Amino acid sequence: MSIHPDLLTILACPKCKGALTVVDAEAGLACPPCAVVYPVRDDIPIMLVEEAVARADWDAGKSSVKDDAAK
C-alpha cells in the first residue's frame, strides 16, 4: 500500500509546519528545512518530532532513532 496523494497534501512537518516529500520508496517523509525524515511504519507516517531521524543519518542507513540507542 502506498501513501495516498491526498494525505500528502495535508501532512506537514510537526516542527516547522513545512511541506514534506516522500523518500526511499515511501519509507519516510522528509522535511528539507528541518533536515529530518519522519519514518513510515506499516504504511503509517510517524509524525512525532522525537521519532524524526536526521536526514544525514537516514541517508547513512539509520531508519529510526532506536538505531542509535542500540549501539
Side-chain angles (χ1 to χ4, degrees):
M1 182 174 214
S2 63
I3 299 171
H4 196 281
D6 289 342
L7 181 60
L8 287 175
T9 64
I10 61 172
L11 283 177
C13 174
K15 185 174 181 182
C16 75
K17 311 301 184 235
L20 301 168
T21 58
V22 176
V23 295
D24 296 337
E26 299 186 350
L29 298 173
C31 176
C34 293
V36 297
V37 177
Y38 296 95
V40 175
R41 298 185 192 122
D42 298 322
D43 296 323
I44 300 169
I46 310 302
M47 304 301 297
L48 301 170
V49 173
E50 58 271 8
E51 290 291 322
V53 178
R55 183 63 195 250
D57 290 343
W58 182 273
D59 291 340
K62 298 175 186 169
S63 61
S64 80
V65 293
K66 294 174 186 164
D67 289 346
D68 286 334
K71 293 181 179 178

Short mmCIF file of all heavy atoms in Angstrom, two decimals:
data_model
loop_
_atom_site.label_atom_id
_atom_site.label_comp_id
_atom_site.label_asym_id
_atom_site.label_seq_id
_atom_site.Cartn_x
_atom_site.Cartn_y
_atom_site.Cartn_z
N MET A 1 0.85 -1.18 0.00
CA MET A 1 0.00 0.00 0.00
C MET A 1 0.89 1.24 0.00
O MET A 1 1.94 1.27 0.62
CB MET A 1 -0.89 -0.02 1.23
CG MET A 1 -1.84 1.12 1.31
SD MET A 1 -2.94 0.90 2.72
CE MET A 1 -4.37 1.63 2.04
N SER A 2 0.47 2.26 -0.68
CA SER A 2 1.27 3.48 -0.75
C SER A 2 0.56 4.64 -0.05
O SER A 2 -0.62 4.57 0.26
CB SER A 2 1.54 3.84 -2.20
OG SER A 2 0.32 4.13 -2.86
N ILE A 3 1.33 5.68 0.18
CA ILE A 3 0.77 6.86 0.81
C ILE A 3 -0.12 7.57 -0.21
O ILE A 3 0.32 7.89 -1.31
CB ILE A 3 1.90 7.79 1.29
CG1 ILE A 3 2.76 7.07 2.32
CG2 ILE A 3 1.33 9.08 1.86
CD1 ILE A 3 4.02 7.81 2.69
N HIS A 4 -1.35 7.78 0.15
CA HIS A 4 -2.30 8.41 -0.75
C HIS A 4 -1.90 9.86 -1.02
O HIS A 4 -1.54 10.59 -0.09
CB HIS A 4 -3.71 8.36 -0.14
CG HIS A 4 -4.78 8.64 -1.13
ND1 HIS A 4 -5.10 9.90 -1.52
CD2 HIS A 4 -5.58 7.79 -1.82
CE1 HIS A 4 -6.08 9.85 -2.40
NE2 HIS A 4 -6.38 8.57 -2.61
N PRO A 5 -1.93 10.29 -2.28
CA PRO A 5 -1.54 11.67 -2.62
C PRO A 5 -2.33 12.73 -1.84
O PRO A 5 -1.77 13.78 -1.49
CB PRO A 5 -1.81 11.77 -4.11
CG PRO A 5 -1.76 10.35 -4.61
CD PRO A 5 -2.25 9.51 -3.48
N ASP A 6 -3.60 12.47 -1.56
CA ASP A 6 -4.40 13.44 -0.79
C ASP A 6 -3.85 13.59 0.62
O ASP A 6 -3.89 14.68 1.19
CB ASP A 6 -5.86 13.01 -0.73
CG ASP A 6 -6.56 13.17 -2.07
OD1 ASP A 6 -6.05 13.90 -2.95
OD2 ASP A 6 -7.63 12.54 -2.25
N LEU A 7 -3.34 12.50 1.18
CA LEU A 7 -2.77 12.57 2.52
C LEU A 7 -1.52 13.45 2.52
O LEU A 7 -1.31 14.25 3.43
CB LEU A 7 -2.42 11.17 3.02
CG LEU A 7 -1.82 11.06 4.42
CD1 LEU A 7 -2.78 11.63 5.47
CD2 LEU A 7 -1.47 9.63 4.74
N LEU A 8 -0.72 13.34 1.47
CA LEU A 8 0.49 14.16 1.38
C LEU A 8 0.18 15.65 1.29
O LEU A 8 0.98 16.47 1.75
CB LEU A 8 1.33 13.74 0.18
CG LEU A 8 2.05 12.41 0.33
CD1 LEU A 8 2.75 12.03 -0.95
CD2 LEU A 8 3.04 12.46 1.48
N THR A 9 -0.97 16.00 0.75
CA THR A 9 -1.30 17.42 0.64
C THR A 9 -1.68 18.04 1.98
O THR A 9 -1.57 19.24 2.15
CB THR A 9 -2.45 17.67 -0.37
OG1 THR A 9 -3.63 17.03 0.11
CG2 THR A 9 -2.08 17.18 -1.75
N ILE A 10 -2.09 17.20 2.94
CA ILE A 10 -2.49 17.75 4.24
C ILE A 10 -1.45 17.53 5.34
O ILE A 10 -1.50 18.20 6.36
CB ILE A 10 -3.86 17.20 4.70
CG1 ILE A 10 -3.84 15.68 4.86
CG2 ILE A 10 -4.96 17.63 3.76
CD1 ILE A 10 -5.09 15.11 5.50
N LEU A 11 -0.53 16.58 5.13
CA LEU A 11 0.51 16.37 6.13
C LEU A 11 1.53 17.49 6.09
O LEU A 11 1.88 17.99 5.03
CB LEU A 11 1.23 15.04 5.89
CG LEU A 11 0.49 13.78 6.30
CD1 LEU A 11 1.31 12.54 5.92
CD2 LEU A 11 0.20 13.77 7.79
N ALA A 12 2.02 17.86 7.25
CA ALA A 12 3.05 18.89 7.37
C ALA A 12 4.01 18.49 8.48
O ALA A 12 3.66 17.72 9.38
CB ALA A 12 2.43 20.25 7.68
N CYS A 13 5.19 19.02 8.42
CA CYS A 13 6.18 18.77 9.47
C CYS A 13 5.62 19.29 10.79
O CYS A 13 5.18 20.45 10.87
CB CYS A 13 7.49 19.49 9.12
SG CYS A 13 8.73 19.40 10.44
N PRO A 14 5.61 18.46 11.83
CA PRO A 14 5.07 18.92 13.10
C PRO A 14 5.93 19.99 13.78
O PRO A 14 5.45 20.70 14.65
CB PRO A 14 5.01 17.65 13.95
CG PRO A 14 5.93 16.69 13.31
CD PRO A 14 6.01 17.06 11.86
N LYS A 15 7.18 20.11 13.37
CA LYS A 15 8.06 21.10 13.98
C LYS A 15 7.93 22.47 13.31
O LYS A 15 7.70 23.48 13.97
CB LYS A 15 9.51 20.62 13.91
CG LYS A 15 10.49 21.51 14.61
CD LYS A 15 11.88 20.89 14.62
CE LYS A 15 12.85 21.79 15.34
NZ LYS A 15 14.20 21.22 15.32
N CYS A 16 8.06 22.52 11.97
CA CYS A 16 8.06 23.82 11.28
C CYS A 16 6.81 24.06 10.45
O CYS A 16 6.65 25.14 9.88
CB CYS A 16 9.30 23.93 10.38
SG CYS A 16 9.22 22.95 8.86
N LYS A 17 5.97 23.05 10.34
CA LYS A 17 4.72 23.13 9.56
C LYS A 17 4.97 23.20 8.05
O LYS A 17 4.10 23.56 7.28
CB LYS A 17 3.82 24.29 9.99
CG LYS A 17 3.58 24.39 11.48
CD LYS A 17 2.94 23.16 12.05
CE LYS A 17 2.64 23.35 13.53
NZ LYS A 17 3.19 22.37 14.39
N GLY A 18 6.19 22.84 7.63
CA GLY A 18 6.55 22.86 6.21
C GLY A 18 6.07 21.63 5.47
O GLY A 18 5.63 20.63 6.06
N ALA A 19 6.15 21.70 4.15
CA ALA A 19 5.74 20.59 3.29
C ALA A 19 6.74 19.44 3.39
O ALA A 19 7.92 19.64 3.67
CB ALA A 19 5.66 21.07 1.84
N LEU A 20 6.23 18.24 3.17
CA LEU A 20 7.04 17.03 3.24
C LEU A 20 7.17 16.40 1.87
O LEU A 20 6.28 16.54 1.03
CB LEU A 20 6.40 16.03 4.21
CG LEU A 20 6.22 16.51 5.64
CD1 LEU A 20 5.32 15.55 6.41
CD2 LEU A 20 7.56 16.65 6.32
N THR A 21 8.26 15.68 1.66
CA THR A 21 8.46 14.95 0.41
C THR A 21 8.71 13.48 0.73
O THR A 21 9.31 13.15 1.75
CB THR A 21 9.65 15.50 -0.39
OG1 THR A 21 10.82 15.43 0.42
CG2 THR A 21 9.41 16.94 -0.81
N VAL A 22 8.25 12.62 -0.15
CA VAL A 22 8.43 11.18 0.01
C VAL A 22 9.87 10.81 -0.33
O VAL A 22 10.43 11.29 -1.32
CB VAL A 22 7.45 10.41 -0.90
CG1 VAL A 22 7.69 8.92 -0.82
CG2 VAL A 22 6.01 10.75 -0.53
N VAL A 23 10.48 9.95 0.49
CA VAL A 23 11.84 9.48 0.23
C VAL A 23 11.90 7.96 0.32
O VAL A 23 11.08 7.34 1.00
CB VAL A 23 12.87 10.10 1.21
CG1 VAL A 23 12.99 11.59 1.01
CG2 VAL A 23 12.54 9.80 2.65
N ASP A 24 12.87 7.40 -0.35
CA ASP A 24 13.17 5.97 -0.29
C ASP A 24 11.95 5.07 -0.47
O ASP A 24 11.62 4.27 0.40
CB ASP A 24 13.87 5.63 1.03
CG ASP A 24 15.22 6.31 1.17
OD1 ASP A 24 15.81 6.67 0.13
OD2 ASP A 24 15.67 6.49 2.32
N ALA A 25 11.30 5.21 -1.62
CA ALA A 25 10.16 4.36 -1.96
C ALA A 25 9.11 4.34 -0.85
O ALA A 25 8.62 3.29 -0.43
CB ALA A 25 10.61 2.95 -2.30
N GLU A 26 8.80 5.52 -0.35
CA GLU A 26 7.77 5.73 0.66
C GLU A 26 8.13 5.16 2.03
O GLU A 26 7.27 4.89 2.84
CB GLU A 26 6.41 5.23 0.19
CG GLU A 26 5.95 5.95 -1.06
CD GLU A 26 4.55 5.57 -1.49
OE1 GLU A 26 3.98 4.62 -0.95
OE2 GLU A 26 4.03 6.27 -2.37
N ALA A 27 9.42 5.02 2.32
CA ALA A 27 9.85 4.57 3.64
C ALA A 27 9.89 5.71 4.64
O ALA A 27 9.97 5.50 5.84
CB ALA A 27 11.22 3.91 3.55
N GLY A 28 9.84 6.95 4.13
CA GLY A 28 9.89 8.10 5.01
C GLY A 28 9.37 9.35 4.34
O GLY A 28 9.20 9.40 3.12
N LEU A 29 9.12 10.37 5.15
CA LEU A 29 8.68 11.68 4.68
C LEU A 29 9.70 12.70 5.17
O LEU A 29 9.92 12.84 6.37
CB LEU A 29 7.29 12.01 5.22
CG LEU A 29 6.18 11.07 4.78
CD1 LEU A 29 4.88 11.41 5.52
CD2 LEU A 29 5.96 11.15 3.28
N ALA A 30 10.33 13.38 4.23
CA ALA A 30 11.41 14.31 4.56
C ALA A 30 10.92 15.74 4.66
O ALA A 30 10.07 16.18 3.88
CB ALA A 30 12.51 14.22 3.51
N CYS A 31 11.49 16.46 5.62
CA CYS A 31 11.27 17.90 5.75
C CYS A 31 12.61 18.56 5.43
O CYS A 31 13.52 18.55 6.27
CB CYS A 31 10.82 18.26 7.16
SG CYS A 31 10.66 20.05 7.38
N PRO A 32 12.75 19.13 4.23
CA PRO A 32 14.03 19.76 3.87
C PRO A 32 14.47 20.89 4.80
O PRO A 32 15.64 20.93 5.19
CB PRO A 32 13.79 20.24 2.44
CG PRO A 32 12.73 19.32 1.90
CD PRO A 32 11.84 19.07 3.10
N PRO A 33 13.59 21.81 5.22
CA PRO A 33 14.06 22.89 6.11
C PRO A 33 14.60 22.38 7.46
O PRO A 33 15.56 22.93 7.98
CB PRO A 33 12.83 23.77 6.32
CG PRO A 33 11.95 23.48 5.16
CD PRO A 33 12.20 22.04 4.81
N CYS A 34 13.99 21.35 8.01
CA CYS A 34 14.42 20.82 9.30
C CYS A 34 15.52 19.76 9.14
O CYS A 34 16.13 19.36 10.14
CB CYS A 34 13.24 20.20 10.04
SG CYS A 34 12.00 21.41 10.57
N ALA A 35 15.74 19.29 7.92
CA ALA A 35 16.75 18.25 7.63
C ALA A 35 16.50 16.98 8.43
O ALA A 35 17.41 16.40 9.01
CB ALA A 35 18.15 18.78 7.84
N VAL A 36 15.22 16.56 8.47
CA VAL A 36 14.85 15.32 9.15
C VAL A 36 13.94 14.50 8.25
O VAL A 36 13.35 15.01 7.29
CB VAL A 36 14.13 15.57 10.50
CG1 VAL A 36 15.04 16.29 11.48
CG2 VAL A 36 12.84 16.31 10.32
N VAL A 37 13.82 13.22 8.60
CA VAL A 37 12.90 12.32 7.91
C VAL A 37 12.02 11.67 8.97
O VAL A 37 12.51 11.18 10.00
CB VAL A 37 13.66 11.22 7.13
CG1 VAL A 37 12.69 10.25 6.48
CG2 VAL A 37 14.56 11.85 6.07
N TYR A 38 10.73 11.68 8.72
CA TYR A 38 9.77 11.00 9.58
C TYR A 38 9.52 9.63 8.97
O TYR A 38 9.11 9.52 7.81
CB TYR A 38 8.45 11.80 9.68
CG TYR A 38 8.67 13.13 10.34
CD1 TYR A 38 8.89 14.28 9.59
CD2 TYR A 38 8.71 13.24 11.72
CE1 TYR A 38 9.13 15.50 10.20
CE2 TYR A 38 8.95 14.46 12.34
CZ TYR A 38 9.15 15.58 11.57
OH TYR A 38 9.40 16.78 12.18
N PRO A 39 9.80 8.55 9.71
CA PRO A 39 9.66 7.21 9.13
C PRO A 39 8.20 6.83 8.90
O PRO A 39 7.30 7.36 9.56
CB PRO A 39 10.30 6.31 10.19
CG PRO A 39 10.21 7.08 11.46
CD PRO A 39 10.27 8.53 11.08
N VAL A 40 8.00 5.93 7.95
CA VAL A 40 6.68 5.36 7.70
C VAL A 40 6.79 3.89 8.10
O VAL A 40 7.62 3.15 7.56
CB VAL A 40 6.28 5.49 6.22
CG1 VAL A 40 4.95 4.78 5.96
CG2 VAL A 40 6.18 6.96 5.83
N ARG A 41 5.98 3.49 9.06
CA ARG A 41 5.98 2.10 9.54
C ARG A 41 4.61 1.49 9.34
O ARG A 41 3.61 2.06 9.77
CB ARG A 41 6.37 2.05 11.02
CG ARG A 41 7.76 2.56 11.30
CD ARG A 41 8.14 2.37 12.76
NE ARG A 41 9.35 3.14 13.03
CZ ARG A 41 9.45 4.07 13.95
NH1 ARG A 41 8.43 4.37 14.73
NH2 ARG A 41 10.58 4.74 14.12
N ASP A 42 4.57 0.34 8.70
CA ASP A 42 3.30 -0.34 8.42
C ASP A 42 2.32 0.61 7.73
O ASP A 42 1.14 0.67 8.08
CB ASP A 42 2.68 -0.90 9.70
CG ASP A 42 3.56 -1.95 10.36
OD1 ASP A 42 4.19 -2.73 9.62
OD2 ASP A 42 3.63 -1.96 11.61
N ASP A 43 2.83 1.36 6.77
CA ASP A 43 2.05 2.33 5.97
C ASP A 43 1.50 3.49 6.79
O ASP A 43 0.59 4.18 6.35
CB ASP A 43 0.91 1.62 5.23
CG ASP A 43 1.42 0.63 4.21
OD1 ASP A 43 2.45 0.92 3.57
OD2 ASP A 43 0.79 -0.44 4.03
N ILE A 44 2.04 3.72 7.98
CA ILE A 44 1.58 4.83 8.83
C ILE A 44 2.74 5.79 9.05
O ILE A 44 3.77 5.41 9.60
CB ILE A 44 1.07 4.31 10.19
CG1 ILE A 44 -0.09 3.35 9.99
CG2 ILE A 44 0.67 5.48 11.10
CD1 ILE A 44 -0.49 2.60 11.23
N PRO A 45 2.59 7.04 8.60
CA PRO A 45 3.64 8.04 8.86
C PRO A 45 3.72 8.34 10.36
O PRO A 45 2.71 8.61 11.00
CB PRO A 45 3.17 9.27 8.09
CG PRO A 45 2.13 8.79 7.14
CD PRO A 45 1.52 7.58 7.77
N ILE A 46 4.92 8.25 10.90
CA ILE A 46 5.15 8.52 12.32
C ILE A 46 5.55 10.00 12.44
O ILE A 46 6.70 10.36 12.30
CB ILE A 46 6.23 7.60 12.91
CG1 ILE A 46 5.96 6.14 12.58
CG2 ILE A 46 6.37 7.83 14.41
CD1 ILE A 46 4.61 5.61 13.06
N MET A 47 4.56 10.83 12.70
CA MET A 47 4.74 12.28 12.66
C MET A 47 5.00 12.86 14.06
O MET A 47 4.34 13.78 14.50
CB MET A 47 3.52 12.94 12.02
CG MET A 47 3.18 12.42 10.63
SD MET A 47 4.52 12.63 9.46
CE MET A 47 4.64 14.40 9.41
N LEU A 48 5.98 12.29 14.73
CA LEU A 48 6.37 12.76 16.05
C LEU A 48 7.78 13.33 15.96
O LEU A 48 8.68 12.67 15.43
CB LEU A 48 6.34 11.62 17.07
CG LEU A 48 4.99 10.92 17.26
CD1 LEU A 48 5.17 9.67 18.10
CD2 LEU A 48 4.01 11.87 17.90
N VAL A 49 7.98 14.51 16.49
CA VAL A 49 9.29 15.16 16.42
C VAL A 49 10.36 14.26 17.03
O VAL A 49 11.46 14.14 16.49
CB VAL A 49 9.25 16.55 17.11
CG1 VAL A 49 10.64 17.15 17.20
CG2 VAL A 49 8.31 17.48 16.36
N GLU A 50 10.05 13.59 18.15
CA GLU A 50 11.04 12.74 18.80
C GLU A 50 11.36 11.47 18.02
O GLU A 50 12.34 10.79 18.31
CB GLU A 50 10.63 12.40 20.24
CG GLU A 50 9.31 11.72 20.36
CD GLU A 50 8.11 12.66 20.49
OE1 GLU A 50 8.25 13.87 20.35
OE2 GLU A 50 7.01 12.15 20.73
N GLU A 51 10.56 11.13 17.02
CA GLU A 51 10.82 9.96 16.18
C GLU A 51 11.52 10.33 14.87
O GLU A 51 11.90 9.45 14.09
CB GLU A 51 9.51 9.23 15.86
CG GLU A 51 8.89 8.53 17.04
CD GLU A 51 9.71 7.32 17.51
OE1 GLU A 51 10.25 6.60 16.66
OE2 GLU A 51 9.79 7.13 18.73
N ALA A 52 11.69 11.61 14.62
CA ALA A 52 12.34 12.05 13.39
C ALA A 52 13.81 11.64 13.39
O ALA A 52 14.46 11.64 14.43
CB ALA A 52 12.23 13.57 13.24
N VAL A 53 14.29 11.30 12.22
CA VAL A 53 15.69 10.89 12.04
C VAL A 53 16.39 11.99 11.25
O VAL A 53 15.86 12.46 10.24
CB VAL A 53 15.77 9.55 11.28
CG1 VAL A 53 17.21 9.14 11.05
CG2 VAL A 53 14.99 8.47 12.01
N ALA A 54 17.55 12.40 11.70
CA ALA A 54 18.32 13.41 10.96
C ALA A 54 18.53 12.91 9.53
O ALA A 54 18.81 11.73 9.33
CB ALA A 54 19.65 13.68 11.64
N ARG A 55 18.39 13.80 8.57
CA ARG A 55 18.49 13.39 7.16
C ARG A 55 19.85 12.73 6.88
O ARG A 55 19.92 11.74 6.16
CB ARG A 55 18.26 14.60 6.24
CG ARG A 55 18.28 14.26 4.76
CD ARG A 55 17.15 13.30 4.42
NE ARG A 55 17.30 12.67 3.14
CZ ARG A 55 16.55 12.92 2.08
NH1 ARG A 55 15.57 13.80 2.16
NH2 ARG A 55 16.74 12.27 0.95
N ALA A 56 20.91 13.25 7.45
CA ALA A 56 22.24 12.65 7.24
C ALA A 56 22.28 11.22 7.77
O ALA A 56 22.84 10.33 7.13
CB ALA A 56 23.31 13.50 7.90
N ASP A 57 21.67 10.99 8.93
CA ASP A 57 21.60 9.64 9.49
C ASP A 57 20.74 8.74 8.62
O ASP A 57 21.07 7.58 8.39
CB ASP A 57 21.06 9.66 10.92
CG ASP A 57 22.03 10.28 11.91
OD1 ASP A 57 23.23 10.40 11.58
OD2 ASP A 57 21.57 10.65 13.01
N TRP A 58 19.61 9.26 8.15
CA TRP A 58 18.71 8.49 7.28
C TRP A 58 19.46 8.07 6.02
O TRP A 58 19.40 6.90 5.62
CB TRP A 58 17.49 9.34 6.92
CG TRP A 58 16.50 8.63 6.07
CD1 TRP A 58 16.48 8.55 4.70
CD2 TRP A 58 15.36 7.88 6.51
NE1 TRP A 58 15.41 7.81 4.29
CE2 TRP A 58 14.70 7.38 5.37
CE3 TRP A 58 14.84 7.59 7.78
CZ2 TRP A 58 13.55 6.61 5.45
CZ3 TRP A 58 13.69 6.82 7.85
CH2 TRP A 58 13.06 6.35 6.70
N ASP A 59 20.17 9.00 5.41
CA ASP A 59 20.92 8.70 4.19
C ASP A 59 22.04 7.69 4.45
O ASP A 59 22.45 6.97 3.54
CB ASP A 59 21.49 9.97 3.57
CG ASP A 59 20.39 10.87 3.01
OD1 ASP A 59 19.26 10.38 2.75
OD2 ASP A 59 20.66 12.07 2.82
N ALA A 60 22.51 7.62 5.71
CA ALA A 60 23.55 6.66 6.08
C ALA A 60 22.96 5.29 6.44
O ALA A 60 23.69 4.38 6.81
CB ALA A 60 24.37 7.20 7.25
N GLY A 61 21.64 5.16 6.38
CA GLY A 61 21.01 3.87 6.61
C GLY A 61 20.32 3.69 7.94
O GLY A 61 19.79 2.63 8.23
N LYS A 62 20.29 4.72 8.76
CA LYS A 62 19.59 4.64 10.04
C LYS A 62 18.15 5.07 9.82
O LYS A 62 17.89 6.20 9.48
CB LYS A 62 20.26 5.52 11.08
CG LYS A 62 21.68 5.12 11.38
CD LYS A 62 22.35 6.09 12.32
CE LYS A 62 23.81 5.74 12.47
NZ LYS A 62 24.55 6.79 13.16
N SER A 63 17.22 4.14 10.06
CA SER A 63 15.83 4.45 9.78
C SER A 63 15.00 4.74 11.02
O SER A 63 13.79 4.92 10.92
CB SER A 63 15.19 3.31 8.98
OG SER A 63 15.24 2.11 9.74
N SER A 64 15.64 4.77 12.19
CA SER A 64 14.91 5.14 13.39
C SER A 64 15.88 5.68 14.43
O SER A 64 17.08 5.43 14.36
CB SER A 64 14.13 3.95 13.96
OG SER A 64 14.97 3.10 14.69
N VAL A 65 15.34 6.40 15.38
CA VAL A 65 16.18 6.92 16.46
C VAL A 65 16.65 5.78 17.34
O VAL A 65 17.65 5.90 18.02
CB VAL A 65 15.46 8.00 17.30
CG1 VAL A 65 15.22 9.24 16.48
CG2 VAL A 65 14.16 7.48 17.87
N LYS A 66 15.99 4.64 17.30
CA LYS A 66 16.38 3.48 18.08
C LYS A 66 17.66 2.84 17.54
O LYS A 66 18.35 2.15 18.25
CB LYS A 66 15.25 2.45 18.10
CG LYS A 66 14.05 2.97 18.84
CD LYS A 66 12.90 2.01 18.74
CE LYS A 66 11.69 2.66 19.39
NZ LYS A 66 10.46 2.02 19.04
N ASP A 67 17.98 3.09 16.26
CA ASP A 67 19.22 2.57 15.68
C ASP A 67 20.42 3.09 16.46
O ASP A 67 21.38 2.37 16.69
CB ASP A 67 19.36 2.96 14.21
CG ASP A 67 18.39 2.21 13.31
OD1 ASP A 67 17.80 1.21 13.76
OD2 ASP A 67 18.25 2.62 12.16
N ASP A 68 20.38 4.36 16.90
CA ASP A 68 21.47 4.94 17.67
C ASP A 68 21.50 4.38 19.10
O ASP A 68 22.56 4.14 19.65
CB ASP A 68 21.35 6.47 17.74
CG ASP A 68 21.71 7.12 16.43
OD1 ASP A 68 22.49 6.52 15.65
OD2 ASP A 68 21.24 8.24 16.16
N ALA A 69 20.34 4.17 19.67
CA ALA A 69 20.26 3.70 21.05
C ALA A 69 20.77 2.26 21.18
O ALA A 69 21.27 1.87 22.23
CB ALA A 69 18.83 3.79 21.56
N ALA A 70 20.65 1.48 20.12
CA ALA A 70 21.07 0.08 20.15
C ALA A 70 22.58 -0.07 20.16
O ALA A 70 23.11 -1.12 20.49
CB ALA A 70 20.47 -0.67 18.97
N LYS A 71 23.30 1.00 19.80
CA LYS A 71 24.76 0.90 19.70
C LYS A 71 25.44 1.33 20.96
O LYS A 71 24.99 2.00 21.79
CB LYS A 71 25.24 1.75 18.52
CG LYS A 71 24.77 1.16 17.23
CD LYS A 71 25.26 1.97 16.07
CE LYS A 71 24.77 1.32 14.78
NZ LYS A 71 25.14 2.02 13.63
#
